[in-house]
């Protein structure tokens, strides 16, 4: 694999990671801690939304993020692998 | 049959199972002993990671902490699960690609320095010992209540069992017992949760019952009536800044825990490392989204069955009497009005409940059958034992592989290396057992320290090792030392020497975040002021980043030839 393709692969990889981490930070540190008070005025079921995000929602998002990462990396790997 | 009889039966049956698996996967060579021949399928590794990492603290203490802390308990939920995202995206695939045996191995090779390796070894042992102490305490609590033996005897039984499969099977034995232990612990956790949700709300799915039933609104009302703040009220016990710092410290710490990282060395390739992180978090999420439901149901139930009752009424509750014997539940009619009153003030409150008993007592409080109660005991033991075994292996491989083989005797034969590994497991068990009998603090709090220390030492050096080619030996060593020293100093100072929480009132649990930031800054600055890493190290980092599955050539060849 030449160095241009390797750099392109690494760029694709790091921008995927960056985008997923932005979502990660937004749901956990953002919605569940920094914005919890305003969000608690909205309700999901019988629970205040900020509280629900902190104790349920963010965990669901975390699981989904890792599987998105694994599947997307498979795609990126296929694109760059064994085609020199 | 009584609870005690069922418990004994379940404990014996599950222990026979673990021992059998440990015997079946016994190993001879060091690759099997330290990294299970790198042949563990992604989904099995996910289950093993979940069991490895969900400790006695997750199983026994967490719901109790959430139950008392309400919203503020979310730090544990988000902190301990959010870290897996960091681990999966930033560390696991690359470390698997590196393909060696331990975390200090990576640190030592990437930073071409035995000093760095040694600092990493010290950090790994320090973290693992802090953490394993909590596990053994968990074993003690379960045994003392359910088998009615004293804590010391319980700890010794646990030590013998863990010792057997860890000494015999090393990582391979541990992996497959952890898969079995995950099954036991998740079944044990979910069955009473389903039952309680069903009884209290007519909806058997705890996550849905938690969100859509009116238990939490009712609990909010009761809490306010008794003078507590609302259950869902944020920042009732901790400031927003503290919650933020603790959550980050737990997240980053999870990603830096050596016994979790090492699990990703056991899968066949980096792709499997990515998927196994996903499976691990999915398996963990099953328990972690259930815990807040149990926490609120248990709190509602406990207040409902103890508050404003007469002593005679409480004494008729079988579970209350049994827990009173362990002194984890205390009640006393202080003002002599004939009724027990639960208040926020510790001085006047007539009921004190140790947070560690919430999960263990919930099935009894809800009057579930003795069989379910016994199952929970077996689950708690599975959680404690699986984590303890993972930690013991980190301690033993840090000494046997990194110190003995890599530093002291590189000519050591296969059998010598495995032998030293086995001796070190035995040694580590003895220390862990001592901590179990004379615990330095209560379970979850001790574990939180290990996370802070992992956050402040490992995470930055591994992350920069992969993502910043310019980071060099001098930077990594000074960063780890500064991060570790600062965090340990603050925790020990505040915890044991009454030092004020002078850093913006951040509690010891959250200070790892500051230690981590210090580590990043020091590593970054020192690296830029000193010469860049040698060319072959830069090539090694390039290899870590490339999509090919082949492990980097550097160092690997020498080791294989020595074998």
């Amino acid at each position: 694999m030449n160095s241009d393709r390797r750099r392109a692969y690494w760029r694709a990889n790091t921008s995927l990671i960056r985008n997923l981490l932005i979502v990660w930070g937004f749901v956990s540190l953002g919605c569940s801690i920094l914005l919890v008070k305003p969000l608690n005025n909205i309700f999901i079921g019988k629970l205040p939304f900020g509280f629900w995000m902190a104790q349920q929602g963010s965990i669901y998002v975390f699981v989904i993020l890792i599987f998105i990462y694994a599947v997307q990396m498979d795609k990126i790997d296929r694109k760059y692998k064994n085609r020199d | 049959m009584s609870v005690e009889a069922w418990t004994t039966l379940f404990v014996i049956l599950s222990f026979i199972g673990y021992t059998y698996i440990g015997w079946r996967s016994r190993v001879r060579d060091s690759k099997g002993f330290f990294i299970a021949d790198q042949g563990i399928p992604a989904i099995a590794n996910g289950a093993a990671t979940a069991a490895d990492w969900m400790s006695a603290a997750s199983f026994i203490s967490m719901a109790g902490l959430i139950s008392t802390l309400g919203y503020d308990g979310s730090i544990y939920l988000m902190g301990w699960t959010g870290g897996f995202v960091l681990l999966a995206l930033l560390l696991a695939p690359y470390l698997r690609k590196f393909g060696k045996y331990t975390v200090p191995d990576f640190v030592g090779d990437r930073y071409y320095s035995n000093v760095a390796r040694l600092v990493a070894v010290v950090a790994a042992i320090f973290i693992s010992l802090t953490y394993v102490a909590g596990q053994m305490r968990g074993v003690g609590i379960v045994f003392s209540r359910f088998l009615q033996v004293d804590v010391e005897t319980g700890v010794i039984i646990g030590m013998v069992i863990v010792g057997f499969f860890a000494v015999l099977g090393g990582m391979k034995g541990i992996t497959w017992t952890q898969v079995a232990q995950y099954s036991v612990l998740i079944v044990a956790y979910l069955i009473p949760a389903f039952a309680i949700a069903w009884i209290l709300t007519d909806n058997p799915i705890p996550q849905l019952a938690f969100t859509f039933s009116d238990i939490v609104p009712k609990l909010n009302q009761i809490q306010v009536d008794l003078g507590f703040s609302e259950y869902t009220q944020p920042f009732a016990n901790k400031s927003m800044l503290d919650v933020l710092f603790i959550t980050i410290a737990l997240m980053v710490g999870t990603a830096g825990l050596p016994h979790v990282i090492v699990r990703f060395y056991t899968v066949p390739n980096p792709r499997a490392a990515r998927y196994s992180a996903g499976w691990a978090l999915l398996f963990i999420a099953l328990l972690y989204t259930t815990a807040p439901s149990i926490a609120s149901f248990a709190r509602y139930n406990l207040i409902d069955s103890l508050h404003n009752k007469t002593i005679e009424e409480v004494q008729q509750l079988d579970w209350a009497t049994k827990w009173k014997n362990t002194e984890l539940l205390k009640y006393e009619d202080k003002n002599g009005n004939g009724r027990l009153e639960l208040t926020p003030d510790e001085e006047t409150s007539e009921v004190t409940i140790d947070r560690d008993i919430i999960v263990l007592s919930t099935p009894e409080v809800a009057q579930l059958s003795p069989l379910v109660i016994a199952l929970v005991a077996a689950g708690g033991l599975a959680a404690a034992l699986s984590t303890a075994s993972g930690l013991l292996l980190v301690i033993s491989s840090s000494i046997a592989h990194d110190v003995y083989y890599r530093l002291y005797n590189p000519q050591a034969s296969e059998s010598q290396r495995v032998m030293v590994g086995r001796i070190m497991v035995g040694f580590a068990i003895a220390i862990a057992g001592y901590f179990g009998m004379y615990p330095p603090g209560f379970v979850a709090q001790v574990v939180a320290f290990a996370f802070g220390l992992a956050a402040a030492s490992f995470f930055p050096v591994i992350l920069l090792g992969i993502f910043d080619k310019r980071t060099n030996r001098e930077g990594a060593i000074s960063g780890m030392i500064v991060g570790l020293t600062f965090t340990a100093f603050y925790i020990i100072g505040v915890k044991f020497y009454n030092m004020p929480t002078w850093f913006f009132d951040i509690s010891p649990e959250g200070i790892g975040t500051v230690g981590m930031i210090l580590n990043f800054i020091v590593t970054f600055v020192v690296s830029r002021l000193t010469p860049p890493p040698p060319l072959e190290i830069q090539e090694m980092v390039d290899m870590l980043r490339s999509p090919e599955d082949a492990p980097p050539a550097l160092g690997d060849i020498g080791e294989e030839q020595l074998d």
Side-chain angles (χ1 to χ4, degrees), chain B residues 321-330 352-354 357:
Chain B
T321 315
K322 278 184 181 149
W323 281 107
K324 193 168 194 280
N325 291 341
T326 64
E327 299 205 342
L328 295 170
L329 173 72
K330 291 180 191 138
T352 30
I353 304 156
D354 188 295
I357 74 172

Side-chain angles (χ1 to χ4, degrees), chain B residues 126 130 249 445-456 483-502 506-513 515:
Chain B
F126 194 39
T130 324
Q445 204 170 19
V446 173
V447 169
F449 290 172
F451 283 88
L453 298 175
L484 202 59
T485 315
F486 172 80
T487 309
F489 168 77
Y490 193 89
I491 292 175
I492 294 168
V494 171
K495 219 47 224 169
F496 301 103
Y497 295 97
N498 294 322
M499 191 171 83
T501 49
W502 47 269
I506 299 297
S507 56
E509 285 84 354
I511 202 66
T513 304

Side-chain angles (χ1 to χ4, degrees), chain A residues 55-56 59-60, chain B residues 77 207 210 284-293:
Chain A
Q55 300 213 336
Q56 300 277 299
I59 302 175
Y60 300 134
Chain B
L77 294 166
Q207 286 81 353
F210 178 57
I284 289 164
L286 272 179
L287 192 149
Y288 269 58
T289 52
T290 308
S293 348

